[in-house]
Amino acid sequence: MRKALFYVPLAAFLALSLFLLSGLFSDPRDHGSALIEKPLPAFSLPDLQQPTRLVTAADLKGEVTLLNVWGLWCPTCNAELGFLTELRQQGVRIVGLYYVQPVDAAFGDTFDINTLRLDVQDKLAEQGDPYLLNIVDEKRSLIFDLGVTGAPETFLIDRNGVIRHHHVGDINPQNWPKIQQLYQQLQQGGSDAP
Amino acid sequence: MRLNGLLLSVLLLALPASATEDLLQFESAEQQQLYRQLTAELRCPKCQNQNIADSNAVVAVDMRNKTLELVRQGQSHDEVIDYMKQRYGDFVHYQPPVQLSTIWLWLLPLLAVLALGWTVFRRSDSSQTAVVGHADEQPDHSDLDAQLQAMIDEATAANRQQPKE
């Protein structure tokens, strides 16, 4: 009994070390998403190409979709465009959710969707256009309802408009295989999947 | 003592740094108090360990604005926390919920205290039984004193019986 007690501090120390060691390999940005297995929140936001047309959650249903939160102001998103374009060529359906940063009215900044459309057109012509369409979230309302913390972030949405995966950070050739697996599962699941 | 005073004055200097609140209008002092409490309790999901009152990340600013909006609508503390949790998850509140995965936060300290108490108890118990008779507790010296006295008496008696040669 005494001998066993002698090893307790050592065991506790080792357990603590292992716990802290595992922390070194964890991603501090990864703290789960509250929206997994929940339907896409209701929204009605303008399409970047035709601002008079309002896109709703129903428009995304029917096919497995990647909803990619991005913005021209975000360097990682721009770096991601090339790879996402490759994915589009492979047949992945990608919808952009444009993250508009707050404008500082005090500095005379204003938001103009037409200027944005032209800027985005230039950028996509240069880097590749992965998007079927772009939803512009000027007030970040859908972005807020989705629990987006920044850009880029990507949601995997199934045929029924249910969020199946929330990826924080860019999608690249290293992490795509994991997401692709889920994507293919959902595609094969058929339209009768729950 | 002087060092304490110095530290305190440095800490007091740091107070205004966290009090960067814009000029906000509230209907009542309660709402203002609630807003202050909520922005201190809600954690910025983008930053590493800052509350939303303390951060100027876009998401923290948006969360502050939403908090303000909800507080002005007259929502309670728990309603606002739930609203945020539905979107940003449990991570967003500094008070973790009691769940199967978080129960160890409460159980572990309790178990540690119990285990420690048990060890201490066992230890004092066994030392009492094992070390009885040794000079561990206040030993009773009257026995030894009596023995010593007897030896002295014996020696002096022997001395008397053997006069000088």
Short mmCIF file of all heavy atoms in Angstrom, two decimals, chain A residues 95-153:
data_model
loop_
_atom_site.label_atom_id
_atom_site.label_comp_id
_atom_site.label_asym_id
_atom_site.label_seq_id
_atom_site.Cartn_x
_atom_site.Cartn_y
_atom_site.Cartn_z
N VAL A 95 -20.57 27.75 -53.09
CA VAL A 95 -21.27 29.03 -53.04
C VAL A 95 -20.48 29.94 -52.11
O VAL A 95 -20.05 29.53 -51.03
CB VAL A 95 -22.72 28.85 -52.54
CG1 VAL A 95 -23.37 30.19 -52.26
CG2 VAL A 95 -23.54 28.06 -53.55
N GLY A 96 -20.24 31.16 -52.56
CA GLY A 96 -19.50 32.11 -51.74
C GLY A 96 -20.42 32.89 -50.83
O GLY A 96 -21.53 33.25 -51.21
N LEU A 97 -19.96 33.11 -49.60
CA LEU A 97 -20.68 34.02 -48.69
C LEU A 97 -19.69 35.15 -48.43
O LEU A 97 -18.68 34.96 -47.75
CB LEU A 97 -21.06 33.29 -47.40
CG LEU A 97 -21.74 34.12 -46.31
CD1 LEU A 97 -22.99 34.80 -46.85
CD2 LEU A 97 -22.10 33.26 -45.11
N TYR A 98 -19.97 36.29 -49.03
CA TYR A 98 -19.01 37.38 -48.95
C TYR A 98 -19.09 38.11 -47.62
O TYR A 98 -20.14 38.63 -47.23
CB TYR A 98 -19.20 38.37 -50.11
CG TYR A 98 -18.00 39.28 -50.23
CD1 TYR A 98 -16.92 38.93 -51.02
CD2 TYR A 98 -17.93 40.47 -49.51
CE1 TYR A 98 -15.79 39.73 -51.09
CE2 TYR A 98 -16.81 41.27 -49.57
CZ TYR A 98 -15.74 40.89 -50.36
OH TYR A 98 -14.63 41.68 -50.41
N TYR A 99 -17.97 38.13 -46.92
CA TYR A 99 -17.87 38.74 -45.60
C TYR A 99 -17.50 40.20 -45.77
O TYR A 99 -16.37 40.52 -46.13
CB TYR A 99 -16.78 37.99 -44.82
CG TYR A 99 -16.65 38.29 -43.33
CD1 TYR A 99 -16.74 37.28 -42.39
CD2 TYR A 99 -16.38 39.57 -42.87
CE1 TYR A 99 -16.58 37.52 -41.04
CE2 TYR A 99 -16.23 39.84 -41.53
CZ TYR A 99 -16.33 38.80 -40.62
OH TYR A 99 -16.17 39.04 -39.28
N VAL A 100 -18.47 41.08 -45.54
CA VAL A 100 -18.20 42.51 -45.67
C VAL A 100 -17.71 43.02 -44.31
O VAL A 100 -18.40 42.86 -43.30
CB VAL A 100 -19.46 43.28 -46.10
CG1 VAL A 100 -19.15 44.76 -46.24
CG2 VAL A 100 -20.00 42.72 -47.39
N GLN A 101 -16.53 43.61 -44.31
CA GLN A 101 -16.01 44.15 -43.05
C GLN A 101 -16.76 45.43 -42.71
O GLN A 101 -17.25 46.13 -43.60
CB GLN A 101 -14.53 44.43 -43.21
CG GLN A 101 -13.72 43.16 -43.16
CD GLN A 101 -12.34 43.43 -42.60
OE1 GLN A 101 -11.60 44.22 -43.14
NE2 GLN A 101 -12.00 42.77 -41.52
N PRO A 102 -16.82 45.75 -41.41
CA PRO A 102 -17.55 46.97 -41.04
C PRO A 102 -16.89 48.19 -41.69
O PRO A 102 -15.66 48.28 -41.75
CB PRO A 102 -17.43 47.01 -39.52
CG PRO A 102 -16.53 45.93 -39.11
CD PRO A 102 -16.27 45.04 -40.26
N VAL A 103 -17.72 49.09 -42.17
CA VAL A 103 -17.16 50.32 -42.73
C VAL A 103 -17.20 51.39 -41.66
O VAL A 103 -18.13 51.43 -40.85
CB VAL A 103 -17.95 50.79 -43.97
CG1 VAL A 103 -17.65 49.89 -45.15
CG2 VAL A 103 -19.42 50.84 -43.70
N ASP A 104 -16.18 52.20 -41.64
CA ASP A 104 -16.12 53.25 -40.63
C ASP A 104 -16.67 54.54 -41.21
O ASP A 104 -15.98 55.25 -41.96
CB ASP A 104 -14.67 53.42 -40.16
CG ASP A 104 -14.63 54.03 -38.77
OD1 ASP A 104 -15.59 54.76 -38.44
OD2 ASP A 104 -13.67 53.78 -38.04
N ALA A 105 -17.92 54.81 -40.87
CA ALA A 105 -18.58 55.99 -41.42
C ALA A 105 -17.84 57.27 -41.02
O ALA A 105 -17.85 58.26 -41.76
CB ALA A 105 -20.03 56.04 -40.94
N ALA A 106 -17.18 57.23 -39.88
CA ALA A 106 -16.46 58.40 -39.40
C ALA A 106 -15.35 58.80 -40.37
O ALA A 106 -14.95 59.96 -40.43
CB ALA A 106 -15.89 58.13 -38.01
N PHE A 107 -14.85 57.81 -41.13
CA PHE A 107 -13.80 58.11 -42.10
C PHE A 107 -14.37 58.29 -43.50
O PHE A 107 -13.63 58.29 -44.47
CB PHE A 107 -12.75 57.00 -42.10
CG PHE A 107 -11.87 57.05 -40.89
CD1 PHE A 107 -12.11 56.22 -39.81
CD2 PHE A 107 -10.81 57.93 -40.83
CE1 PHE A 107 -11.31 56.27 -38.69
CE2 PHE A 107 -10.00 58.00 -39.71
CZ PHE A 107 -10.25 57.16 -38.63
N GLY A 108 -15.70 58.39 -43.58
CA GLY A 108 -16.32 58.60 -44.88
C GLY A 108 -16.42 57.35 -45.72
O GLY A 108 -16.69 57.41 -46.91
N ASP A 109 -16.16 56.18 -45.08
CA ASP A 109 -16.27 54.93 -45.83
C ASP A 109 -17.74 54.61 -46.06
O ASP A 109 -18.58 54.82 -45.18
CB ASP A 109 -15.65 53.78 -45.03
CG ASP A 109 -14.14 53.91 -44.99
OD1 ASP A 109 -13.60 54.69 -45.79
OD2 ASP A 109 -13.51 53.24 -44.17
N THR A 110 -18.04 54.11 -47.24
CA THR A 110 -19.39 53.63 -47.49
C THR A 110 -19.30 52.28 -48.16
O THR A 110 -18.25 51.93 -48.72
CB THR A 110 -20.16 54.59 -48.42
OG1 THR A 110 -19.32 54.87 -49.55
CG2 THR A 110 -20.55 55.86 -47.73
N PHE A 111 -20.38 51.53 -48.09
CA PHE A 111 -20.39 50.23 -48.75
C PHE A 111 -21.20 50.35 -50.04
O PHE A 111 -22.32 50.84 -50.04
CB PHE A 111 -21.02 49.18 -47.84
CG PHE A 111 -21.22 47.87 -48.55
CD1 PHE A 111 -20.13 47.06 -48.85
CD2 PHE A 111 -22.49 47.46 -48.93
CE1 PHE A 111 -20.31 45.87 -49.53
CE2 PHE A 111 -22.66 46.26 -49.60
CZ PHE A 111 -21.57 45.47 -49.90
N ASP A 112 -20.59 49.94 -51.13
CA ASP A 112 -21.30 49.98 -52.41
C ASP A 112 -21.16 48.64 -53.10
O ASP A 112 -20.05 48.20 -53.42
CB ASP A 112 -20.71 51.09 -53.29
CG ASP A 112 -21.43 51.13 -54.64
OD1 ASP A 112 -22.66 50.93 -54.65
OD2 ASP A 112 -20.75 51.33 -55.66
N ILE A 113 -22.29 47.99 -53.29
CA ILE A 113 -22.26 46.62 -53.80
C ILE A 113 -21.77 46.57 -55.25
O ILE A 113 -21.13 45.60 -55.67
CB ILE A 113 -23.65 45.96 -53.64
CG1 ILE A 113 -23.52 44.43 -53.80
CG2 ILE A 113 -24.66 46.51 -54.63
CD1 ILE A 113 -24.70 43.65 -53.30
N ASN A 114 -21.99 47.64 -56.02
CA ASN A 114 -21.54 47.63 -57.41
C ASN A 114 -20.02 47.73 -57.50
O ASN A 114 -19.39 47.05 -58.32
CB ASN A 114 -22.20 48.77 -58.18
CG ASN A 114 -23.68 48.48 -58.41
OD1 ASN A 114 -24.02 47.35 -58.79
ND2 ASN A 114 -24.53 49.44 -58.14
N THR A 115 -19.43 48.57 -56.67
CA THR A 115 -17.97 48.64 -56.61
C THR A 115 -17.42 47.29 -56.23
O THR A 115 -16.44 46.80 -56.81
CB THR A 115 -17.54 49.68 -55.55
OG1 THR A 115 -18.41 50.79 -55.63
CG2 THR A 115 -16.11 50.11 -55.76
N LEU A 116 -18.07 46.70 -55.23
CA LEU A 116 -17.61 45.39 -54.76
C LEU A 116 -17.69 44.37 -55.89
O LEU A 116 -16.77 43.57 -56.08
CB LEU A 116 -18.46 44.93 -53.57
CG LEU A 116 -18.11 43.55 -53.02
CD1 LEU A 116 -16.72 43.58 -52.38
CD2 LEU A 116 -19.13 43.07 -52.00
N ARG A 117 -18.79 44.40 -56.66
CA ARG A 117 -18.95 43.43 -57.73
C ARG A 117 -17.79 43.52 -58.72
O ARG A 117 -17.21 42.52 -59.13
CB ARG A 117 -20.28 43.64 -58.46
CG ARG A 117 -20.52 42.53 -59.49
CD ARG A 117 -21.84 42.65 -60.19
NE ARG A 117 -21.90 43.83 -61.03
CZ ARG A 117 -22.81 44.78 -60.92
NH1 ARG A 117 -23.75 44.69 -60.00
NH2 ARG A 117 -22.79 45.82 -61.71
N LEU A 118 -17.43 44.78 -59.08
CA LEU A 118 -16.35 44.96 -60.05
C LEU A 118 -15.01 44.49 -59.47
O LEU A 118 -14.22 43.81 -60.14
CB LEU A 118 -16.27 46.44 -60.46
CG LEU A 118 -17.52 46.93 -61.19
CD1 LEU A 118 -17.43 48.43 -61.47
CD2 LEU A 118 -17.74 46.15 -62.49
N ASP A 119 -14.77 44.82 -58.18
CA ASP A 119 -13.52 44.39 -57.54
C ASP A 119 -13.43 42.86 -57.51
O ASP A 119 -12.38 42.28 -57.78
CB ASP A 119 -13.45 44.93 -56.11
CG ASP A 119 -13.23 46.44 -56.10
OD1 ASP A 119 -12.91 46.98 -57.18
OD2 ASP A 119 -13.38 47.06 -55.03
N VAL A 120 -14.56 42.24 -57.15
CA VAL A 120 -14.57 40.78 -57.07
C VAL A 120 -14.36 40.17 -58.45
O VAL A 120 -13.59 39.22 -58.61
CB VAL A 120 -15.90 40.29 -56.44
CG1 VAL A 120 -16.07 38.79 -56.61
CG2 VAL A 120 -15.94 40.64 -54.95
N GLN A 121 -15.01 40.76 -59.45
CA GLN A 121 -14.84 40.27 -60.83
C GLN A 121 -13.36 40.27 -61.23
O GLN A 121 -12.86 39.28 -61.76
CB GLN A 121 -15.61 41.17 -61.79
CG GLN A 121 -16.88 40.51 -62.32
CD GLN A 121 -17.75 41.50 -63.07
OE1 GLN A 121 -17.27 42.56 -63.51
NE2 GLN A 121 -19.02 41.16 -63.20
N ASP A 122 -12.69 41.38 -60.94
CA ASP A 122 -11.26 41.50 -61.28
C ASP A 122 -10.46 40.40 -60.60
O ASP A 122 -9.65 39.72 -61.21
CB ASP A 122 -10.72 42.85 -60.83
CG ASP A 122 -11.19 43.97 -61.76
OD1 ASP A 122 -11.79 43.62 -62.80
OD2 ASP A 122 -10.97 45.15 -61.43
N LYS A 123 -10.73 40.26 -59.30
CA LYS A 123 -9.97 39.30 -58.51
C LYS A 123 -10.18 37.87 -59.02
O LYS A 123 -9.24 37.10 -59.15
CB LYS A 123 -10.41 39.40 -57.04
CG LYS A 123 -9.54 38.62 -56.09
CD LYS A 123 -8.20 39.28 -56.01
CE LYS A 123 -7.26 38.53 -55.10
NZ LYS A 123 -5.96 39.22 -55.05
N LEU A 124 -11.44 37.54 -59.30
CA LEU A 124 -11.76 36.17 -59.71
C LEU A 124 -11.25 35.89 -61.12
O LEU A 124 -10.86 34.76 -61.44
CB LEU A 124 -13.26 35.92 -59.62
CG LEU A 124 -13.85 35.98 -58.21
CD1 LEU A 124 -15.34 35.66 -58.23
CD2 LEU A 124 -13.14 35.05 -57.25
N ALA A 125 -11.20 36.93 -61.95
CA ALA A 125 -10.66 36.75 -63.30
C ALA A 125 -9.17 36.42 -63.21
O ALA A 125 -8.62 35.67 -64.02
CB ALA A 125 -10.87 38.02 -64.11
N GLU A 126 -8.55 36.98 -62.19
CA GLU A 126 -7.11 36.83 -62.02
C GLU A 126 -6.75 35.50 -61.35
O GLU A 126 -5.82 34.81 -61.75
CB GLU A 126 -6.66 38.01 -61.16
CG GLU A 126 -5.20 38.18 -60.92
CD GLU A 126 -5.00 39.30 -59.91
OE1 GLU A 126 -5.47 40.44 -60.15
OE2 GLU A 126 -4.42 39.03 -58.86
N GLN A 127 -7.52 35.14 -60.29
CA GLN A 127 -7.16 33.99 -59.46
C GLN A 127 -7.96 32.72 -59.77
O GLN A 127 -7.64 31.66 -59.29
CB GLN A 127 -7.41 34.33 -57.97
CG GLN A 127 -6.69 35.55 -57.48
CD GLN A 127 -5.32 35.20 -56.99
OE1 GLN A 127 -5.07 34.09 -56.58
NE2 GLN A 127 -4.41 36.16 -57.04
N GLY A 128 -9.02 32.87 -60.51
CA GLY A 128 -9.91 31.73 -60.75
C GLY A 128 -11.20 31.93 -59.98
O GLY A 128 -11.20 32.54 -58.90
N ASP A 129 -12.28 31.46 -60.56
CA ASP A 129 -13.59 31.70 -59.95
C ASP A 129 -14.22 30.39 -59.50
O ASP A 129 -14.74 29.63 -60.33
CB ASP A 129 -14.50 32.41 -60.96
CG ASP A 129 -15.87 32.73 -60.37
OD1 ASP A 129 -16.09 32.39 -59.18
OD2 ASP A 129 -16.69 33.31 -61.08
N PRO A 130 -14.16 30.08 -58.22
CA PRO A 130 -14.72 28.82 -57.76
C PRO A 130 -16.23 28.88 -57.51
O PRO A 130 -16.83 27.85 -57.21
CB PRO A 130 -13.98 28.57 -56.45
CG PRO A 130 -13.59 29.92 -55.96
CD PRO A 130 -13.51 30.83 -57.13
N TYR A 131 -16.83 30.07 -57.61
CA TYR A 131 -18.17 30.24 -57.06
C TYR A 131 -19.28 30.13 -58.10
O TYR A 131 -19.24 30.73 -59.15
CB TYR A 131 -18.29 31.60 -56.36
CG TYR A 131 -17.27 31.76 -55.27
CD1 TYR A 131 -16.27 32.72 -55.37
CD2 TYR A 131 -17.28 30.93 -54.16
CE1 TYR A 131 -15.32 32.86 -54.38
CE2 TYR A 131 -16.33 31.06 -53.17
CZ TYR A 131 -15.35 32.03 -53.28
OH TYR A 131 -14.42 32.16 -52.31
N LEU A 132 -20.30 29.37 -57.71
CA LEU A 132 -21.52 29.30 -58.48
C LEU A 132 -22.24 30.65 -58.38
O LEU A 132 -22.75 31.18 -59.35
CB LEU A 132 -22.41 28.19 -57.89
CG LEU A 132 -23.67 27.85 -58.62
CD1 LEU A 132 -23.33 27.13 -59.91
CD2 LEU A 132 -24.56 26.98 -57.76
N LEU A 133 -22.26 31.18 -57.17
CA LEU A 133 -22.79 32.52 -56.95
C LEU A 133 -22.20 33.03 -55.63
O LEU A 133 -21.65 32.26 -54.85
CB LEU A 133 -24.32 32.52 -56.88
CG LEU A 133 -24.95 31.74 -55.73
CD1 LEU A 133 -25.68 32.67 -54.78
CD2 LEU A 133 -25.96 30.75 -56.29
N ASN A 134 -22.31 34.33 -55.41
CA ASN A 134 -21.82 34.91 -54.18
C ASN A 134 -22.94 35.63 -53.46
O ASN A 134 -23.66 36.43 -54.06
CB ASN A 134 -20.69 35.90 -54.49
CG ASN A 134 -19.33 35.31 -54.22
OD1 ASN A 134 -18.99 35.02 -53.08
ND2 ASN A 134 -18.57 35.08 -55.29
N ILE A 135 -23.08 35.30 -52.19
CA ILE A 135 -24.10 35.95 -51.36
C ILE A 135 -23.39 37.07 -50.59
O ILE A 135 -22.34 36.84 -49.99
CB ILE A 135 -24.70 34.93 -50.37
CG1 ILE A 135 -25.27 33.73 -51.13
CG2 ILE A 135 -25.74 35.58 -49.49
CD1 ILE A 135 -25.54 32.54 -50.25
N VAL A 136 -23.95 38.26 -50.64
CA VAL A 136 -23.29 39.38 -49.97
C VAL A 136 -23.98 39.64 -48.62
O VAL A 136 -25.17 39.92 -48.56
CB VAL A 136 -23.36 40.65 -50.83
CG1 VAL A 136 -22.63 41.79 -50.13
CG2 VAL A 136 -22.75 40.40 -52.19
N ASP A 137 -23.21 39.52 -47.57
CA ASP A 137 -23.74 39.70 -46.22
C ASP A 137 -23.19 41.00 -45.64
O ASP A 137 -22.24 41.01 -44.89
CB ASP A 137 -23.35 38.50 -45.35
CG ASP A 137 -24.18 38.41 -44.08
OD1 ASP A 137 -24.98 39.33 -43.85
OD2 ASP A 137 -24.01 37.44 -43.33
N GLU A 138 -23.82 42.08 -46.03
CA GLU A 138 -23.29 43.39 -45.67
C GLU A 138 -23.27 43.60 -44.16
O GLU A 138 -22.32 44.13 -43.60
CB GLU A 138 -24.13 44.49 -46.35
CG GLU A 138 -23.53 45.87 -46.16
CD GLU A 138 -24.49 47.00 -46.47
OE1 GLU A 138 -25.46 46.76 -47.22
OE2 GLU A 138 -24.27 48.10 -45.96
N LYS A 139 -24.33 43.19 -43.49
CA LYS A 139 -24.41 43.41 -42.04
C LYS A 139 -23.90 42.22 -41.25
O LYS A 139 -24.06 42.16 -40.03
CB LYS A 139 -25.87 43.68 -41.64
CG LYS A 139 -26.51 44.86 -42.35
CD LYS A 139 -26.04 46.17 -41.76
CE LYS A 139 -26.71 47.35 -42.44
NZ LYS A 139 -25.80 48.49 -42.59
N ARG A 140 -23.37 41.23 -41.95
CA ARG A 140 -22.87 40.01 -41.31
C ARG A 140 -23.95 39.32 -40.47
O ARG A 140 -23.66 38.75 -39.44
CB ARG A 140 -21.65 40.30 -40.44
CG ARG A 140 -20.45 40.79 -41.23
CD ARG A 140 -19.29 41.14 -40.35
NE ARG A 140 -19.59 42.23 -39.46
CZ ARG A 140 -19.74 43.49 -39.83
NH1 ARG A 140 -19.59 43.80 -41.10
NH2 ARG A 140 -20.02 44.43 -38.97
N SER A 141 -25.18 39.35 -40.94
CA SER A 141 -26.26 38.74 -40.16
C SER A 141 -26.24 37.22 -40.29
O SER A 141 -26.29 36.50 -39.28
CB SER A 141 -27.61 39.29 -40.62
OG SER A 141 -27.76 39.09 -42.01
N LEU A 142 -26.14 36.71 -41.53
CA LEU A 142 -26.05 35.26 -41.71
C LEU A 142 -24.73 34.76 -41.13
O LEU A 142 -24.68 33.70 -40.50
CB LEU A 142 -26.15 34.90 -43.20
CG LEU A 142 -25.95 33.43 -43.55
CD1 LEU A 142 -26.94 32.55 -42.82
CD2 LEU A 142 -26.04 33.20 -45.04
N ILE A 143 -23.69 35.56 -41.32
CA ILE A 143 -22.38 35.20 -40.79
C ILE A 143 -22.45 35.06 -39.27
O ILE A 143 -21.89 34.13 -38.69
CB ILE A 143 -21.34 36.25 -41.25
CG1 ILE A 143 -20.96 35.93 -42.70
CG2 ILE A 143 -20.13 36.30 -40.35
CD1 ILE A 143 -20.10 36.93 -43.37
N PHE A 144 -23.19 35.94 -38.65
CA PHE A 144 -23.36 35.87 -37.19
C PHE A 144 -24.17 34.63 -36.80
O PHE A 144 -23.80 33.90 -35.88
CB PHE A 144 -24.07 37.13 -36.69
CG PHE A 144 -23.98 37.32 -35.21
CD1 PHE A 144 -22.93 38.02 -34.65
CD2 PHE A 144 -24.95 36.79 -34.37
CE1 PHE A 144 -22.84 38.19 -33.28
CE2 PHE A 144 -24.87 36.96 -32.99
CZ PHE A 144 -23.80 37.66 -32.46
N ASP A 145 -25.26 34.38 -37.54
CA ASP A 145 -26.12 33.24 -37.22
C ASP A 145 -25.39 31.91 -37.43
O ASP A 145 -25.73 30.90 -36.82
CB ASP A 145 -27.39 33.26 -38.06
CG ASP A 145 -28.35 34.34 -37.60
OD1 ASP A 145 -28.21 34.80 -36.45
OD2 ASP A 145 -29.25 34.73 -38.37
N LEU A 146 -24.39 31.92 -38.33
CA LEU A 146 -23.63 30.70 -38.60
C LEU A 146 -22.50 30.50 -37.59
O LEU A 146 -21.80 29.49 -37.61
CB LEU A 146 -23.04 30.75 -40.01
CG LEU A 146 -23.98 30.46 -41.17
CD1 LEU A 146 -23.30 30.78 -42.49
CD2 LEU A 146 -24.42 29.01 -41.14
N GLY A 147 -22.29 31.49 -36.72
CA GLY A 147 -21.20 31.37 -35.76
C GLY A 147 -19.83 31.48 -36.43
O GLY A 147 -18.88 30.83 -36.00
N VAL A 148 -19.75 32.30 -37.46
CA VAL A 148 -18.46 32.49 -38.13
C VAL A 148 -17.60 33.44 -37.31
O VAL A 148 -18.08 34.47 -36.85
CB VAL A 148 -18.68 33.07 -39.55
CG1 VAL A 148 -17.38 33.48 -40.19
CG2 VAL A 148 -19.40 32.06 -40.42
N THR A 149 -16.34 33.07 -37.10
CA THR A 149 -15.47 33.92 -36.29
C THR A 149 -14.53 34.75 -37.16
O THR A 149 -13.91 35.68 -36.67
CB THR A 149 -14.63 33.08 -35.33
OG1 THR A 149 -13.82 32.19 -36.11
CG2 THR A 149 -15.51 32.26 -34.42
N GLY A 150 -14.39 34.39 -38.42
CA GLY A 150 -13.50 35.12 -39.30
C GLY A 150 -13.55 34.50 -40.66
O GLY A 150 -14.44 33.73 -40.98
N ALA A 151 -12.59 34.83 -41.49
CA ALA A 151 -12.54 34.24 -42.83
C ALA A 151 -11.12 33.74 -43.08
O ALA A 151 -10.18 34.34 -42.56
CB ALA A 151 -12.95 35.27 -43.87
N PRO A 152 -10.93 32.69 -43.86
CA PRO A 152 -11.96 31.87 -44.48
C PRO A 152 -12.52 30.80 -43.55
O PRO A 152 -11.81 30.28 -42.70
CB PRO A 152 -11.22 31.21 -45.63
CG PRO A 152 -9.81 31.09 -45.17
CD PRO A 152 -9.57 32.25 -44.24
N GLU A 153 -13.79 30.51 -43.74
CA GLU A 153 -14.43 29.37 -43.07
C GLU A 153 -15.35 28.73 -44.10
O GLU A 153 -15.85 29.43 -44.99
CB GLU A 153 -15.24 29.83 -41.85
CG GLU A 153 -14.35 30.28 -40.71
CD GLU A 153 -15.09 30.50 -39.40
OE1 GLU A 153 -16.22 30.01 -39.26
OE2 GLU A 153 -14.51 31.15 -38.52
#
